[in-house]
Amino acid sequence: MRLTVFGTGYLGATHAACMAELGHEVVGVDVDPGKVAKLSDGVTPFYEPGLEEVLRRNLDAGRLRFTTSYPEAADHADVHFLGVGTPQKKGEYAADLKYVHAVIDSLAPLIERPSVIIGKSTVPVGTAAELGARARAAATAEVEVAWNPEFLREGFAVQDTLRPDRLVLGLDSARERADWVAGLVREIYAELLEAQVPFLQTDLATAELVKVSANAFLATKISFINAVSEVCEATGADVTILADALGYDARIGRRFLNAGLGFGGGCLPKDIRAFMARAGELGADHAVAFLREVDNINMRRRTKVVDMAAKACGGSLLGANVAVLGAAFKPESDDVRDSPALNVAGMIQLHGAVVSVYDPKALENSRRVFPTLNYATSVADACDRADVVLVLTEWKEFTALRPEDLNPVVRSRSIIDGRNCLERARWREAGWVYAGLGTP
């Protein structure tokens, strides 16, 4: 099939490349000529394992191309995926839909034959219905709007697109062409459906709520174990063993029960805040009031690590040399949006420390956010004459570290494990002062 994908950020570029991998003829559309030029040359503007190979393979095969031209995109296909960003509004919790609206307002007047716009972006509930009315008012032909939320995990985006754990499609069942839309989507994902990927067809509102509800649940699970870790710190209990014990309960499971610095990135923080904002607009803010405490717990872990660093340096960070290993919000990503690691590095610098940051992939993005931090080219460079070392992103390069790797370069043998990802017994036996979150 012929498809377009509007937006070539993390979501859009991944979806475009993977739809081409499924055999479709895809045009990716973006208003940024720089992004379009990079992608056309087979270069992704962000780090995602495996994506560049898929991108280049399909560019070479002629199934994928990129453009800034909306008329070209409208002429190419009758099925248009919407994958632009929905960031948090400045000074508010609500999602900013200006990019979503811009696509609809630019595309709809160009549609001259029956078409469908399929949303992938995470939006507040009620957005799809509003966009449908908006598109139909501007188009000269019939336009349907459906919603097919994404469930991408950074570091696993290609896998999550080509073999997702479920497909969700939201339709306006009151529309005469709803069955036509469902048939198109089933055709697009035919290979996935043949592979027995579950397919759930819902109304528009349910589809919109699935992604944000999933993120809210995961955020709650992470903040739950971090709240428990605070109790562990007060009692001398070990949160890692406690989490293992909880994980054996089939009703709970072990995943996302890793106590530590907390969650970040471009999805969970802004999505739960947008969920709270939209619930408030609907008069149901009491129903998700607990998410405010989820957010508070998450942010509190960052200040906790700053306090731990100050304690490790004798009570004050003024003039201390602090090594921060990790800047991305998670491993296998260069994403530093709302990154706990980079946030902690910035706060420590504001307390007067000299901070050296190293990350295998996220240094360039980090410099844009915090240009005043020092950025190292290796672990050894970052830890040179360090008074304390902080491990804040669980890259394999860091979890594999041994005390003897750092003994020759640090000034003080003190390490803070912000992700509880190191073997603390090994570090203590080697004479290091080890501190973790929620561990004795």
Side-chain angles (χ1 to χ4, degrees):
M1 291 183 65
R2 290 188 168 194
L3 312 173
T4 66
V5 178
F6 286 83
T8 61
Y10 182 81
L11 165 59
T14 302
H15 193 67
C18 289
M19 290 303 97
E21 184 77 356
L22 291 176
H24 303 297
E25 295 180 41
V26 183
V27 172
V29 190
D30 204 293
V31 295
D32 185 341
K35 279 186 182 178
V36 167
K38 270 191 171 184
L39 289 163
S40 297
D41 287 338
V43 178
T44 55
F46 51 86
Y47 175 69
E48 177 60 37
L51 180 58
E52 208 155 89
E53 291 85 346
V54 174
L55 175 69
R56 290 175 178 170
R57 181 163 56 247
N58 286 282
L59 286 169
D60 292 343
R63 289 189 297 268
L64 178 63
R65 57 190 171 88
F66 295 90
T67 183
T68 58
S69 171
Y70 271 62
E72 179 184 348
D75 184 61
H76 172 76
D78 303 328
V79 179
H80 308 286
F81 282 98
L82 179 58
V84 295
T86 53
Q88 186 176 335
K89 282 184 179 179
K90 291 183 178 180
E92 299 181 34
Y93 272 6
D96 190 341
L97 298 178
K98 63 183 178 185
Y99 303 114
V100 173
H101 289 149
V103 171
I104 297 296
D105 294 343
S106 299
L107 174 63
L110 301 172
I111 293 176
E112 297 178 344
R113 55 188 186 269
S115 301
V116 58
I117 299 171
I118 304 173
K120 297 293 295 180
S121 306
T122 304
V123 295
V125 62
T127 300
E130 183 266 323
L131 293 180
R134 192 177 186 125
R136 286 187 284 273
T140 58
E142 287 190 68
V143 180
E144 305 299 330
V145 170
W147 222 259
N148 171 220
E150 57 87 10
F151 302 103
L152 304 186
R153 298 167 297 162
E154 293 196 33
F156 302 91
V158 172
Q159 172 188 325
D160 289 344
T161 304
L162 295 177
R163 285 297 180 269
D165 51 20
R166 78 283 206 196
L167 289 166
V168 175
L169 175 63
L171 298 171
D172 183 348
S173 58
R175 301 285 300 170
E176 291 183 4
R177 300 179 70 91
D179 290 342
W180 172 72
V181 174
L184 286 176
V185 173
R186 286 181 176 275
E187 186 177 348
I188 291 167
Y189 293 129
E191 182 178 317
L192 280 60
L193 297 177
E194 288 173 9
Q196 303 302 307
V197 173
F199 184 89
L200 291 83
Q201 188 169 310
T202 75
D203 56 87
L204 289 173
T206 301
E208 290 170 310
L209 283 168
V210 170
K211 173 63 185 296
V212 70
S213 298
N215 278 352
F217 184 85
L218 296 177
T220 301
K221 195 170 182 180
I222 294 167
S223 284
F224 166 79
I225 198 63
N226 278 331
V228 171
S229 76
E230 293 182 9
V231 179
C232 290
E233 289 159 9
T235 59
D238 189 328
V239 75
T240 58
I241 298 174
L242 187 152
D244 287 341
L246 289 176
Y248 283 111
D249 189 324
R251 299 168 301 174
I252 298 172
R254 183 63 177 80
R255 296 186 67 195
F256 289 89
L257 278 182
N258 294 318
L261 188 51
F263 58 83
C267 290
L268 259 65
K270 65 100 175 173
D271 284 354
I272 65 170
R273 292 164 190 162
F275 196 12
M276 285 189 279
R278 183 61 176 144
E281 292 168 357
L282 296 170
D285 51 317
H286 58 282
V288 294
F290 69 94
L291 289 178
R292 189 173 298 274
E293 183 56 22
V294 166
D295 204 5
N296 287 337
I297 292 167
N298 188 56
M299 299 305 293
R300 197 159 64 229
R301 303 314 283 161
R302 305 180 187 191
T303 55
K304 171 68 176 180
V305 171
V306 175
D307 293 342
M308 291 169 69
K311 182 180 179 181
C313 294
S316 173
L317 287 165
L318 188 62
N321 287 336
V322 178
V324 172
L325 302 183
F329 86 97
K330 64 178 288 188
E332 300 302 330
S333 172
D334 63 353
D335 193 345
V336 298
R337 291 175 294 175
D338 207 352
S339 167
L342 198 57
N343 187 205
V344 166
M347 286 193 288
I348 288 175
Q349 185 189 51
L350 289 174
H351 281 76
V354 177
V355 183
S356 295
V357 179
Y358 171 68
D359 187 285
K361 294 293 180 181
L363 292 184
E364 185 177 338
N365 289 339
S366 300
R367 284 192 183 96
R368 295 193 190 103
V369 178
F370 277 104
T372 59
L373 293 171
N374 297 321
Y375 294 98
T377 57
S378 66
V379 170
D381 185 20
C383 296
D384 185 38
R385 296 182 58 76
D387 295 301
V388 62
V389 177
L390 278 63
V391 178
L392 302 185
T393 308
E394 58 268 49
W395 286 96
K396 289 180 181 178
E397 181 179 352
F398 304 154
T399 61
L401 281 173
R402 300 167 300 173
E404 51 267 34
D405 297 328
L406 300 184
N407 286 343
V409 295
V410 298
R411 184 157 62 186
S412 298
R413 296 183 181 184
S414 178
I415 193 162
I416 295 173
D417 184 359
R419 295 294 180 181
N420 291 338
C421 59
L422 303 176
E423 294 182 33
R424 61 179 180 264
R426 168 184 280 184
W427 289 84
R428 285 172 174 165
E429 289 167 2
W432 281 67
V433 177
Y434 169 98
L437 289 164
T439 60

